[in-house]
Amino acid sequence: MNWEDFASQAGDEVVENVVEKTMGIDGNTVKTAKAVVESGAALGAAASAATGLSVAATSGAGITSGLAAAGGVVGGGMAAAPAVLGAGPAYLGAKIMNETLFKDQPDLSKEERDAREAARTATNIGAVAGVAGAGLATVAGGASGAAIMGTLAGIGGVVGGGAIAGTAIVAAAPVAAAAAVGYGIYKLFGGKG
């Protein structure tokens, strides 16, 4: 299985477990959320490949070097890599959701417009919180290289992969968080969609 396949499968797992099961979102919204997550996962895969974290670097040392390079963008080393890789997709995912699912339209009722406005804010907050959570999840078992690799390998085990798959899952999670939080607030504020 290559890196892009891991990223796509990770996106599907995150949407299925976070969005579908916990939020009970209708089919059309789930399809849109899946498309957002998959495109976000693909962006994460591209960013990872650009920094050297690719299937060609499947050794522990290769993965560690790729993570260190990605995290080095913000001066955080390998512990910051999944958050760095998740930031772009989280931003893009929130933007897509806000411009499609929660778009303001003048012909809607005041209640629907207010619900969509609250959802846009919540989606952005969910994306930021998801990126922060990605960083925290990465160092949950400790900040040493071995602990980070162990944590990512454990997370990757959900989809039958290792540390590379774990990185994809952690990087895709902020998009799912943005979708779940945004949709939850939308429904809480009386959204009808």
Side-chain angles (χ1 to χ4, degrees):
M1 186 177 279
N2 66 30
W3 169 249
E4 287 79 10
D5 291 340
F6 276 128
S8 179
Q9 188 173 357
D12 287 345
E13 288 286 329
V14 169
V15 170
E16 181 181 330
N17 291 318
V18 176
V19 179
E20 291 180 53
K21 291 180 182 173
T22 63
M23 299 302 294
I25 297 175
D26 67 45
N28 290 332
T29 304
V30 168
K31 287 178 189 171
T32 302
K34 278 187 178 180
V36 169
V37 171
E38 287 169 1
S39 66
L43 287 173
S48 294
T51 60
L53 181 62
S54 67
V55 175
T58 55
S59 70
I63 295 168
T64 302
S65 295
L67 289 170
V73 170
V74 295
M78 70 183 282
V84 168
L85 297 174
Y91 168 78
L92 184 59
K95 183 175 175 63
I96 291 169
M97 284 181 272
N98 287 341
E99 292 177 0
T100 57
L101 299 174
F102 308 128
K103 182 179 180 178
D104 187 26
Q105 297 174 351
D107 59 331
L108 298 172
S109 69
K110 179 170 176 18
E111 182 180 36
E112 179 68 16
R113 291 184 77 193
D114 290 345
R116 288 182 180 205
E117 181 179 357
R120 288 190 299 273
T121 300
T123 299
N124 293 335
I125 292 169
V128 170
V131 170
L136 293 174
T138 304
V139 295
S144 70
I148 292 167
M149 290 296 287
T151 298
L152 292 173
I155 293 169
V158 170
V159 294
I164 292 176
T167 303
I169 291 170
V170 173
V175 180
V181 171
Y183 188 78
I185 294 297
Y186 172 71
K187 292 310 263 183
L188 181 70
F189 277 73
K192 305 291 185 215

